[in-house]
Each structure stands twice: as structure tokens, then as C-alpha cells.
Amino acid sequence: YFGPLIEPVGYEYDPLESEPPPQIALEEDRPVGEVDGCAVLRTSSWACPFEILSCLEQERLEELKSIGVSLTTAQSVSLTLNTADCEDETADCETAALSNLVTCTSEANELVINLADTVQIPKQRTMQLLIQGYNTRYSMAPRSSNSAGVLSLCTDCDANTWLMQTRDSDTEMTVLDSKAGIAGLSLVGVVSVLSIIPSDTKVDSIENYVVITLRLD
């Protein structure tokens, strides 16, 4: 047989259908109650946004030494311990196990992000984290290397833009106009499009704004 691919019934891809075909692993039911251990990922332009308390203490003690203050035995021991902790936690934040510093839990539509006792966020500092959706662990969404060389989900890749088309109402659904590369929302997860409502239904419209209703699964 050299004809077109024959899809199983119910698995055909229809670009006009808001609900995607069955995705098998992607369609696992969400757990009920609190979900522990959701994944916190680095963004592509990651720079460690936290203040590490051991590093602050190390800097304080080294500054005392630099101005000629003799450290006590307890302070010298503290300097050694904090120097080692600072190196380990800086590595965790920049390239290693970020989960040692920040974790998250979720329940229904509430997301709680927990910082370790050893780090803090300076006031007036803006930071970004990628929170992996429940079903996103199976996602084939585009990935790119962040500043640490680690692959993470990409929210600004070319594949994550909208393609809008105007179709005729004939039986062939003829494409009358097509516009690609439309920037949209940066969502990490499986998204269903519930509705697309145009502000103008005339084919000769130069620009047409639409209201899109999304559901993040």
C-alpha cells in the first residue's frame, strides 16, 4: 500500500479541533490533594538570583581579617565551614542540584515555592523560574541550553509561536491568508485551546484581533 498514512480511529490530527488527539502518557489523571516535589528549572538566561547566607558570613569574616581584626578560634572555624558551604551552594545554584535550594508543592490551582533556610532573595530583585507542569515531564516541547549548559524547556523558541490562518467556509477550508511567528504567552505545559473568537469575520480585514481562551492542563 503506497497511499497516505491511515490513522487509527480517534487519533487523527485535526488542526481545527481545540482538543488534541489522545497523547497516552500525557493524559494521566492529576493526583488528588497536595503534590510534592514539582520540578523547578533554570531559565535559558539563568544567573543565580539568591543571596547565600554562608557566602555573606564568609565575606563578613574575611572583611574583618582584611582590616586587621584578629579572629577568635570560633570565628576561624566558622570561616572555614562557611567557605566550604558557600562553594557547594553556589555550585548548586549555578549548575548543580537547584532542588537543594528551592522546591515546590502544588494543590489544585495553588503553587507554593519553598526556599532553603540557607538562601534568601534580596528585596526589589526580580527573578524567573520555570515550574514544570504535571504532564510536562513527558512533553516533547523544544529545549535549549541555559547559561550553565543544561537543557531546559524553551519558552521563546521559534516553535513556540502562533500560526494564524484565515480559512474560507467552503468544504475544502481553503487557506486565504497565513501569518506565522506571532508571539504569544510563555507557558510551560500542555495547553488546550477552548475557543478562538475573532473581532472581525470579514476576509478583507487587514488586521484582526482575536480572543483566545486557553486551558493549561
XYZ file of all heavy atoms in Angstrom, residues 28-36 106-108 134-135 137:
121
model
N -2.371 11.162 31.746
C -2.545 10.604 33.076
C -3.362 11.556 33.933
O -3.216 12.766 33.848
C -1.173 10.373 33.739
C -0.365 9.274 33.101
C 0.929 9.036 33.840
O 1.119 9.668 34.900
O 1.742 8.233 33.373
N -4.211 11.001 34.777
C -5.023 11.836 35.658
C -4.138 12.554 36.665
O -3.145 12.019 37.149
C -6.053 10.980 36.405
C -7.112 10.437 35.464
O -7.323 11.066 34.414
O -7.699 9.386 35.779
N -4.521 13.786 36.988
C -3.793 14.517 38.011
C -4.049 13.880 39.376
O -5.143 13.407 39.656
C -4.257 15.971 38.051
C -4.037 16.725 36.762
C -4.454 18.161 36.941
N -4.480 18.865 35.675
C -4.729 20.160 35.563
N -4.984 20.860 36.641
N -4.735 20.738 34.390
N -3.047 13.872 40.230
C -3.268 13.337 41.571
C -4.178 14.245 42.376
O -4.250 15.448 42.135
C -1.858 13.292 42.171
C -1.098 14.297 41.388
C -1.673 14.295 40.007
N -4.870 13.666 43.331
C -5.767 14.428 44.201
C -4.996 14.852 45.454
O -4.216 14.081 46.005
C -6.997 13.579 44.595
C -7.889 14.346 45.554
C -7.758 13.164 43.348
N -5.214 16.079 45.892
C -4.533 16.570 47.083
C -3.198 17.205 46.749
O -2.918 17.557 45.596
N -2.362 17.336 47.754
C -1.079 18.015 47.584
C -0.101 17.160 46.795
O 0.031 15.965 47.018
C -0.479 18.350 48.952
C 0.815 19.144 48.871
C 1.320 19.574 50.224
O 0.594 20.323 50.913
O 2.417 19.146 50.601
N 0.576 17.795 45.819
C 1.587 17.116 45.010
C 2.946 17.630 45.453
O 3.222 18.828 45.377
C 1.377 17.389 43.511
C 2.464 16.702 42.693
C 0.000 16.910 43.078
N 3.784 16.718 45.925
C 5.100 17.104 46.424
C 6.137 16.975 45.316
O 6.028 16.129 44.435
C 5.506 16.189 47.579
C 5.922 16.976 48.793
O 6.106 18.187 48.653
O 6.060 16.382 49.872
N 2.301 21.676 45.041
C 1.085 22.237 44.449
C -0.130 21.473 44.928
O -0.056 20.278 45.240
C 1.162 22.202 42.915
O 1.211 20.864 42.452
N -1.243 22.177 44.989
C -2.523 21.567 45.316
C -3.598 22.345 44.584
O -3.740 23.553 44.795
C -2.788 21.580 46.821
C -4.083 20.869 47.190
C -4.223 20.674 48.689
O -3.309 21.081 49.426
O -5.250 20.122 49.107
N -4.314 21.649 43.686
C -5.307 22.305 42.819
C -4.617 23.436 42.055
O -3.647 23.196 41.343
C -6.487 22.785 43.640
N 2.522 19.355 35.545
C 2.393 17.950 35.943
C 2.650 17.004 34.771
O 3.340 15.999 34.899
C 1.001 17.703 36.523
C 0.737 16.248 36.801
C 1.472 15.566 37.770
C -0.223 15.545 36.096
C 1.254 14.225 38.022
C -0.448 14.207 36.346
C 0.284 13.553 37.307
O 0.073 12.231 37.550
N 2.104 17.332 33.598
C 2.268 16.452 32.440
C 3.471 16.806 31.574
O 3.763 16.115 30.609
C 1.008 16.489 31.567
C -0.087 15.606 32.129
O 0.205 14.526 32.633
N -1.320 16.058 32.063
N 6.576 16.602 32.067
C 7.763 15.742 32.132
C 7.836 14.806 30.933
O 8.898 14.268 30.623
C 7.740 14.947 33.433
C 6.548 14.014 33.584
C 6.504 13.477 35.019
N 5.463 12.495 35.198
C 4.168 12.799 35.344
N 3.788 14.059 35.324
N 3.268 11.856 35.504
